[in-house]
Amino acid sequence: MADSGTPNPFLKLFQNSGGANPDALAPAEQGDSDDVNQLERDTTDASCEHDYLNHVLKVTLSVDEEDVDGQVLLSGVLSERLSMEDDSTVLRVSELNEMLVERLRACSDQRIRIAVSMEGRVVDLAGGLQVETLLDNHRIGYLYACFKRLGAADHSDSLMRLSDEKRQELRRTVLAALCDHFMLYARNCQSYGTQTETLANELAVWVYNGTREATEFLEFLGESTSHLHQSLEEQGKEATTAALKQLSSAFLPLMSLLQGFLQIINNLFQTTPAVSGEFFVLLKYLLTDPVMSRITMQASSVFLPAPQPNGMPPSGKAFQQQTLLGLLLSCSPCVSPGKKNAFSDTNPLTDTISFIEHSFRQQISINCTKLQEILIASCRVSPTNRRCILQWFAACFFLNEDRLKDLSSPAFWNVCGDGFFLSVGHTLLLMCSPFLRFTPKRLSIIDPQYAMFAACPETPPDDVANSTWHPMLSTLHRETKVANCEDAAPAKLADVSVGFVTECFFLTHRCLQLGMFPSAETYRRSNETFSRLHNALRQGRAAPELVNNIIVQQLGHTTHLFHPDILELTMRFYHLTSAWLLHLILPEGSNIDVSNPDDLCTLQWAPEDVQRAQRKMALVPEFMLEAIPDFIKLVRHAPARTIALLEESYDSLSTMLSVLVVFMRHKELVKNPHLRAKLAESVMWLLPENQLYSSPVTSADHMSIPTYSRQRLFSGHSLAELLLPEAILSVFVDIEFTGETEQFEQKFQYRHPILTALEYIFPLPGYNAKFVAIADQSVDWIESSGQVHVFTRFLNLLVNDAIFLLDEALSLLVRIKELEDEKRDGGWESLDAAAKQEKEKQLAELNRLARPHNYLANVTVRTLALFCSHLVRPFTCSTMLDRMVAFLNYYLKQLVGPKVGALNVEHFAAHAFKPQELLTAIVSCYVSLSSDEEFVRAVPKDTRSYSASLLAQARAVLEKLNEQSLLSKWFDFSQRVADVEDQLQVTEEADANAPVEFLDPIMNTLMEEPVKLPSSGNVVDRVTIMRHLLTDSSDPFNRAHLTPDMLEPVPELQERIRRWRSSDKSTPTSTGD
């Protein structure tokens, strides 16, 4: 022990330890010698103190008790007493400080090195040490052992003889002394001759030696840092900074050990999904303890990744490979092609797959749930903690934005992986879960202005933890917004107080954008690769190892990406997002329940309400609205058992459908026509129809999924019945007028899903009535004002699409037939190898192109037939009549005419060529439209394709196909057309002498209603120019802008034509007549 004249180095510490006063329980001075009772109480108290200290500290002042039950003789304290002529061997609290100092100096200084198991637990101590021997032989082990004995001593017989007040004060004093000595040792370990590495290893012994041991040891650490925290609050900022710096040097090596162990677990997780509980216990201490959380979050090499050696910011991947949170979140079965996981050595057809899948998902849920609990607890410790945690997510997303690039981009390999981002998203979704059960008040908390902050640097400051840097804000304001509005200027950081709910909401959106959807694209591409390699394998052109690698990758992604917990939380999150978007566009003071479609049907917007809604949507990044259809599509492409989630989420799907319908219908709220088309596409993915799945591998599974909720979604959604018919027609038309130079074929990526949705909803009573009303309105517009309704434009584009697709499909089949005939007849035998290979390549390419064209042609013609069967007037009005007749006659001729043999390829099914279905659809159109006499009269007028034998040829084919339901109707129609044809012959001969000025300059037919084009001055028939204006708003003669209301009637010319037709038309009439 130090000389008694040496100042006590712990005295100042104890004076500021927040309750650990060594003189608090000094023996009471004796009162009057006659006061026997007081003496007995003092004697009892002293005896209790002695027993308590002896039990807890394992020390003695009696030479006879040395080494008894592990007790250590404190010779220094004993010598001090003897020098003061005090020969008592009773342990006193007044000397607690000196006893601990001497006992700690008696501990071993032997260097500790540890070996760690693959699961991250301590299994061996180098040098023959045992874990148990550290308890009283090394300094931390001794203090920890005292802490453990402290709990057991609370209920000892000797302590129970003290009053409650003295008993509690004694315990507080001893606990405070233990904690303060521990923190002093940790801050100044080198002054005891202990290396920092040994200190970290000794700490690790207790942290990584079983969850129960770790919990108890970290409870002791927590008590120690709590006492330090109280002391530092009294000493001021300068002392606090110095103390935290000292503690950092002691605990950072422990954190580095944790990083190393997590790396081991991370590598093992792909084959053995398990994470020991000690990590969560330690992480909770590091992030929720008031002192340790400050140290952890300011450690750039632990909490945030360190900058690169050249001074550049860390790469995005550094968050996954270096940080504590990143290493834990990287535990995932997702692997890159060629790497192994737990699925690598299993048979995909066995039950082992399901077991492994379940094990991974269970551990992923445990990891993310525990981490979420820790992060929320840490956020509640202090505003600084909350800011640091949110900035960890934000900085991670900021440096990983290259994940939005193409998967084949080199930049994509410098970012965090799919599994990491899926786990991050899972954790953030759990953090959002308290406000996923939303109310109108909670929806108002989420501030859309968060995405418009511009006053924020793009690079982090040196002191991230104590700054107001918001990495999200440096990029969100540059994102394309949903609507255009000049008033939506970038906001200043001081204008809005950013709340925790708002930040979590936007962070989660960004995480799902960076994580879930790129992961889904990886999954989609791996499916395509598997299909291609599987076909190559069957032909002997691929190695089995390549196919197995893709299967392993698929199974890993399927396990994590389609984790039911993740999908269920994401469904609820996008339910919240849908409600929030609808809430934003409500008029001021509106009490509409956005979750109730009936309430939304009553929504009425004044012009100022529309402007307000535009301003709100001009704050919202486009990707947040786009994520809703993306998620619906993702779930619909999931394994069959996952799609069942749709049946369990009616309320969520109902609100999502409301968002889709409203934003499709009100184009002023969505400036991007491609986004509106995506919204329309997602309607198809909500359909209950199972024929969307054509894969023979999955169709049986998908057919077993119940569809009641999705049927109810469409049959009982009043807002969809009100708005969806016109909204989806509007989107179909607007795709044509995007103003972009994209290829014509690309539009079918949008239109095919729309047609599929129309096929489902059109026959439903509520929707059908709305379609009929829209169709009648379109005809009324043309007849009353000459205006072109969106429905008329839709029908015209539908016919255009059918023409394009059928032309392409049939021409491809003709070329395929030619090549197949050449090959079958031996025409390729004389070719050299290179020429023959070129022919094979050409045939394969034609086969590849023919199938999608035929498939889309079938859908388009089938939709035409569906509309014809219910709506006759729009097809037989003056604008559409001749166009529809020409279409039907031409393709009827292609299917039954003399050249039909050129389409007779070897395998119809391989090319999706269904001539019987096409013919039946076209004949159905004829039969449906024949109820209008004008249509019957127009059929034989088509001189391009119609002939007297055409209808008879069609009848012969129908008889061969045994289409009895159509034969009788077709026979009646044919008879009516023949009668009209005889009458037309006489009329056409007479019209042949018509003056040139009576003829339409475009079609060369006699004009019915001549109109003058204001720009070019040409006179054309109204029917001709209206048909042109359906797809082109310009004068066909000089390309000047032209709309129907600009057409100028020429009544005098119309009257002259009328008089000429009623006169003797055998001779031409002069121009001046």
Side-chain angles (χ1 to χ4, degrees):
M1 180 175 173
D3 184 73
S4 60
T6 305
N8 190 326
F10 299 101
L11 183 58
K12 185 177 180 181
L13 174 64
F14 274 112
Q15 290 173 346
N16 296 281
S17 61
N21 185 353
D23 296 322
L25 294 179
E29 295 187 9
Q30 294 183 2
D32 188 82
S33 58
D34 296 330
D35 193 348
V36 178
N37 292 334
Q38 180 64 39
L39 179 61
E40 288 179 352
R41 283 196 296 271
D42 292 342
T43 304
T44 300
D45 289 353
S47 175
C48 289
E49 287 179 15
H50 172 84
D51 292 345
Y52 190 77
L53 294 174
N54 178 260
H55 176 80
V56 172
L57 304 182
K58 289 287 184 181
V59 294
T60 183
L61 298 179
S62 172
V63 178
D64 296 335
E65 295 178 0
E66 185 177 7
D67 293 329
V68 175
D69 194 23
Q71 296 185 75
V72 174
L73 176 65
L74 300 180
S75 56
V77 175
L78 181 59
S79 299
E80 182 75 16
R81 287 192 182 183
L82 293 175
S83 67
M84 300 174 65
E85 298 182 353
D86 181 359
D87 59 355
S88 173
T89 59
V90 175
L91 301 176
R92 301 169 186 158
V93 172
S94 59
E95 297 172 321
L96 177 60
N97 181 41
E98 287 81 358
M99 288 189 288
L100 281 173
V101 169
E102 182 174 352
R103 179 62 183 84
L104 286 171
R105 286 181 175 172
C107 289
S108 170
D109 290 322
Q110 182 178 357
R111 187 175 182 183
I112 298 176
R113 293 190 299 273
I114 60 176
V116 183
S117 71
M118 299 304 282
E119 292 79 19
R121 289 191 171 89
V122 173
V123 294
D124 186 30
L125 295 174
L129 292 175
Q130 298 297 320
V131 173
E132 293 75 13
T133 61
L134 296 180
L135 275 173
D136 282 305
N137 290 334
H138 283 71
R139 293 184 178 89
I140 291 180
Y142 170 71
L143 292 171
Y144 173 47
C146 291
F147 176 78
K148 295 177 74 170
R149 291 192 288 265
L150 189 67
D154 286 344
H155 305 287
S156 63
D157 294 337
S158 58
L159 191 61
M160 295 304 291
R161 288 179 289 168
L162 291 174
S163 65
D164 289 344
E165 181 180 354
K166 288 188 175 181
R167 183 166 64 248
Q168 292 172 6
E169 190 171 0
L170 176 60
R171 187 186 190 285
R172 282 198 303 268
T173 302
V174 175
L175 175 61
L178 292 174
C179 293
D180 289 336
H181 273 278
F182 170 80
M183 296 311 297
L184 187 64
Y185 171 62
R187 292 162 58 185
N188 302 279
C189 61
Q190 293 184 354
S191 65
Y192 286 84
T194 302
Q195 297 297 319
T196 303
E197 177 191 357
T198 299
L199 173 63
N201 287 344
E202 190 173 356
L203 289 170
V205 167
W206 305 112
V207 172
Y208 305 125
N209 201 28
T211 304
R212 181 176 179 181
E213 192 75 69
T215 303
E216 194 170 359
F217 179 73
L218 290 172
E219 182 183 348
F220 171 52
L221 290 187
E223 291 280 1
S224 302
T225 50
S226 176
H227 279 271
L228 177 65
H229 183 61
Q230 295 175 17
S231 175
L232 293 178
E233 284 184 339
E234 298 173 6
Q235 296 180 36
K237 183 176 180 180
E238 187 173 336
T240 300
T241 303
L244 291 178
K245 186 176 181 181
Q246 290 174 325
L247 284 176
S248 294
S249 63
F251 281 91
L252 282 180
L254 176 65
M255 298 178 194
S256 298
L257 278 175
L258 175 60
Q259 286 176 297
F261 299 160
L262 276 174
Q263 187 64 61
I264 294 173
I265 287 181
N266 188 272
N267 293 333
L268 285 172
F269 192 89
Q270 293 174 347
T271 55
T272 307
V275 177
S276 56
E278 294 95 320
F279 292 105
F280 296 107
V281 175
L282 177 58
L283 192 62
K284 182 177 181 180
Y285 170 67
L286 294 177
L287 294 182
T288 61
D289 182 86
V291 175
M292 291 309 302
S293 61
R294 295 176 65 179
I295 295 172
T296 304
M297 293 179 187
Q298 291 179 3
S300 61
S301 60
V302 176
F303 189 71
L304 289 172
Q308 299 185 51
N310 58 6
M312 296 293 289
S315 68
K317 207 163 193 173
F319 276 87
Q320 177 178 347
Q321 297 175 336
Q322 297 179 18
T323 67
L324 280 179
L325 297 183
L327 286 166
L328 180 61
L329 290 165
S330 298
C331 295
S332 168
C334 295
V335 294
S336 302
K339 291 190 177 181
K340 288 190 173 185
N341 61 17
F343 299 105
S344 301
D345 301 319
T346 58
N347 184 342
L349 301 179
T350 65
D351 293 337
T352 309
I353 295 295
S354 297
F355 174 77
I356 297 174
E357 187 179 79
H358 174 75
S359 300
F360 272 118
R361 288 176 172 173
Q362 186 178 42
Q363 188 61 54
I364 289 169
S365 292
I366 291 172
N367 291 357
C368 295
T369 301
K370 288 186 175 180
L371 179 59
Q372 171 260 341
E373 292 170 353
I374 292 170
L375 294 179
I376 291 295
S378 181
C379 288
R380 290 170 177 161
V381 169
S382 70
T384 300
N385 279 17
R386 190 184 78 178
R387 185 167 62 248
C388 288
I389 287 170
L390 293 179
Q391 285 178 358
W392 185 92
F393 287 110
C396 176
F397 303 158
F398 178 72
L399 295 173
N400 279 280
E401 287 187 341
D402 282 343
R403 280 184 59 85
L404 298 177
K405 296 181 178 178
D406 188 83
L407 295 180
S408 58
S409 169
F412 199 84
W413 301 104
N414 293 321
V415 295
C416 298
D418 290 340
F420 168 83
F421 262 100
L422 290 172
S423 293
V424 173
H426 192 173
T427 304
L428 278 170
L429 286 166
L430 288 167
M431 292 176 68
C432 292
S433 57
F435 56 87
L436 291 183
R437 295 185 178 275
F438 57 85
T439 61
K441 185 176 181 181
R442 286 188 176 182
L443 292 175
S444 302
I445 293 174
I446 303 172
D447 191 344
Q449 291 191 80
Y450 182 84
M452 290 299 289
F453 289 126
C456 182
E458 295 195 8
T459 54
D462 293 335
D463 187 6
V464 174
N466 296 311
S467 72
T468 57
W469 180 59
H470 291 266
M472 286 286 290
L473 309 185
S474 63
T475 56
L476 272 184
H477 79 276
R478 295 200 308 266
E479 288 284 341
T480 303
K481 302 303 187 291
V482 174
N484 272 330
C485 184
E486 296 179 358
D487 297 340
K492 294 182 179 179
L493 192 59
D495 292 345
V496 178
S497 177
V498 179
F500 180 76
V501 172
T502 295
E503 288 205 271
C504 278
F505 180 75
F506 280 91
L507 283 169
T508 306
H509 263 289
R510 178 65 101 189
C511 183
L512 294 173
Q513 181 198 24
L514 293 171
M516 177 169 282
F517 301 120
S519 300
E521 178 63 14
T522 301
Y523 176 76
R524 186 191 67 80
R525 291 195 181 189
S526 69
N527 281 340
E528 291 180 351
T529 304
F530 170 75
S531 179
R532 186 174 63 253
L533 288 175
H534 186 63
N535 290 333
L537 179 64
R538 288 188 299 180
Q539 299 171 14
R541 295 186 292 105
E545 292 78 12
L546 293 176
V547 178
N548 290 337
N549 288 341
I550 292 297
I551 292 176
V552 167
Q553 184 187 18
Q554 280 182 309
L555 290 171
H557 271 75
T558 300
T559 299
H560 205 163
L561 178 61
F562 299 117
H563 190 321
D565 291 354
I566 297 177
L567 293 182
E568 190 269 336
L569 283 167
T570 309
M571 177 72 77
R572 292 173 57 199
F573 181 76
Y574 285 127
H575 183 192
L576 167 70
T577 301
S578 300
W580 178 69
L581 290 170
L582 291 170
H583 179 79
L584 286 181
I585 63 175
L586 291 180
E588 287 281 3
S590 174
N591 294 321
I592 288 177
D593 180 2
V594 294
S595 299
N596 187 340
D598 294 338
D599 271 15
L600 289 170
C601 287
T602 65
L603 179 61
Q604 298 292 330
W605 274 343
E608 58 271 19
D609 295 326
V610 175
Q611 294 175 1
R612 177 183 174 277
Q614 281 182 309
R615 286 195 296 272
K616 289 289 187 180
M617 296 315 299
L619 301 173
V620 179
E622 197 175 82
F623 74 83
M624 295 175 69
L625 175 59
E626 187 177 11
I628 296 172
D630 283 343
F631 176 69
I632 294 171
K633 183 177 180 180
L634 168 65
V635 175
R636 200 61 192 262
H637 281 84
R641 59 185 179 276
T642 305
I643 300 178
L645 173 67
L646 294 174
E647 285 299 297
E648 302 164 3
S649 310
Y650 175 81
D651 291 340
S652 297
L653 294 181
S654 177
T655 307
M656 289 183 189
L657 182 58
S658 296
V659 161
L660 301 179
V661 169
V662 168
F663 284 93
M664 286 164 56
R665 178 66 181 84
H666 297 283
K667 62 176 71 178
E668 65 272 14
L669 299 181
V670 184
K671 65 182 178 183
N672 184 353
H674 296 284
L675 177 55
R676 290 179 64 231
K678 207 167 191 179
L679 300 177
E681 177 189 1
S682 63
V683 175
M684 180 190 74
W685 298 117
L686 287 173
L687 297 178
E689 293 296 324
N690 292 310
Q691 60 261 32
L692 296 174
Y693 299 91
S694 57
S695 169
V697 177
T698 60
S699 58
D701 291 336
H702 286 97
M703 290 298 291
S704 65
I705 302 171
T707 61
Y708 171 76
S709 292
R710 281 170 287 157
Q711 290 175 1
R712 176 187 164 207
L713 179 66
F714 283 94
S715 61
H717 199 289
S718 54
L719 184 67
E721 290 182 353
L722 178 67
L723 299 182
L724 183 56
E726 190 164 355
I728 203 166
L729 295 175
S730 174
V731 172
F732 188 97
V733 171
D734 290 345
I735 295 168
E736 188 75 19
F737 305 102
T738 59
E740 299 182 9
T741 57
E742 61 184 9
Q743 294 297 317
F744 182 76
E745 293 91 334
Q746 290 180 314
K747 298 171 185 176
F748 295 107
Q749 295 177 3
Y750 298 133
R751 285 183 173 163
H752 165 238
I754 292 176
L755 294 181
T756 304
L758 283 173
E759 279 191 283
Y760 179 80
I761 67 173
F762 185 83
L764 299 178
Y767 296 91
N768 188 266
K770 186 66 177 178
F771 276 113
V772 171
I774 292 172
D776 289 341
Q777 186 183 50
S778 71
V779 177
D780 293 341
W781 277 28
I782 293 175
E783 293 178 350
S784 62
S785 62
Q787 296 298 312
V788 181
H789 193 277
V790 66
F791 188 75
T792 308
R793 293 186 186 276
F794 163 75
L795 293 182
N796 184 66
L797 290 173
L798 195 61
V799 173
N800 281 352
D801 290 354
I803 292 172
F804 171 81
L805 291 167
L806 284 171
D807 278 348
E808 288 292 310
L810 298 181
S811 64
L812 287 168
L813 292 174
V814 169
R815 292 162 64 190
I816 290 171
K817 177 71 165 58
E818 291 172 354
L819 288 174
E820 288 178 345
D821 288 346
E822 283 183 21
K823 184 177 181 180
R824 185 177 58 252
D825 296 340
W828 292 8
E829 297 300 327
S830 59
L831 300 176
D832 57 30
K836 187 181 294 186
Q837 185 177 6
E838 182 61 29
K839 287 281 188 180
E840 291 282 5
K841 184 178 178 181
Q842 184 181 358
L843 180 59
E845 179 64 13
L846 292 173
N847 289 334
R848 186 187 67 81
L849 293 173
R851 183 175 180 83
H853 280 87
N854 274 298
Y855 176 78
L856 292 173
N858 293 336
V859 173
T860 306
V861 175
R862 193 167 64 236
T863 305
L864 267 175
L866 177 65
F867 275 82
C868 285
S869 65
H870 291 77
L871 310 170
V872 175
R873 288 184 65 204
F875 289 98
T876 58
C877 68
S878 58
T879 304
M880 287 295 301
L881 179 60
D882 291 343
R883 182 163 177 74
M884 193 65 187
V885 167
F887 164 76
L888 293 174
N889 285 347
Y890 178 78
Y891 289 104
L892 181 65
K893 182 179 179 181
Q894 298 299 311
L895 293 173
V896 302
K899 296 183 179 180
V900 68
L903 304 176
N904 193 23
V905 294
E906 291 181 359
H907 303 291
F908 283 7
H911 306 102
F913 181 43
K914 300 178 179 180
Q916 180 177 350
E917 181 180 314
L918 282 173
L919 177 62
T920 301
I922 289 174
V923 169
S924 296
C925 290
Y926 275 110
V927 171
S928 299
L929 299 180
S930 66
S931 61
D932 190 313
E933 195 61 33
E934 286 300 317
F935 175 77
V936 178
R937 292 178 59 82
V939 169
K941 286 184 181 181
D942 174 29
T943 57
R944 178 190 176 196
S945 303
Y946 177 79
S947 65
S949 60
L950 178 62
L951 302 187
Q953 291 169 340
R955 179 183 177 185
V957 175
L958 290 173
E959 289 175 343
K960 188 180 296 185
L961 297 175
N962 197 28
E963 292 286 348
Q964 296 298 325
S965 61
L966 291 174
L967 270 172
S968 60
K969 296 177 182 179
W970 185 254
F971 179 78
D972 292 341
F973 169 69
S974 301
Q975 286 295 109
R976 292 168 61 194
V977 170
D979 294 342
V980 170
E981 188 176 5
D982 293 339
Q983 299 172 10
L984 285 176
Q985 257 185 332
V986 178
T987 304
E988 288 175 358
E989 290 173 0
D991 290 349
N993 295 323
V996 174
E997 65 173 326
F998 292 176
L999 300 178
D1000 181 275
I1002 297 175
M1003 300 301 295
N1004 199 35
T1005 56
L1006 190 65
M1007 291 187 287
E1008 298 286 343
E1009 186 181 357
V1011 292
K1012 183 178 180 180
L1013 308 185
S1015 176
S1016 65
N1018 288 286
V1019 177
V1020 296
D1021 199 357
R1022 180 181 290 276
V1023 171
T1024 303
I1025 194 62
M1026 288 295 291
R1027 190 184 305 129
H1028 167 78
L1029 291 177
L1030 289 174
T1031 55
D1032 192 343
S1033 300
S1034 65
D1035 188 319
F1037 297 97
N1038 63 6
R1039 309 308 299 166
H1041 179 65
L1042 182 65
T1043 58
D1045 58 297
M1046 297 169 64
L1047 302 177
E1048 302 173 5
V1050 189
E1052 60 185 274
L1053 178 59
Q1054 185 175 5
E1055 176 61 21
R1056 288 168 56 202
I1057 294 173
R1058 186 194 65 76
R1059 290 204 315 267
W1060 179 83
R1061 298 191 93 169
S1062 60
S1063 66
D1064 183 8
K1065 296 172 282 190
S1066 57
T1067 57
T1069 303
S1070 64
T1071 304
D1073 191 12

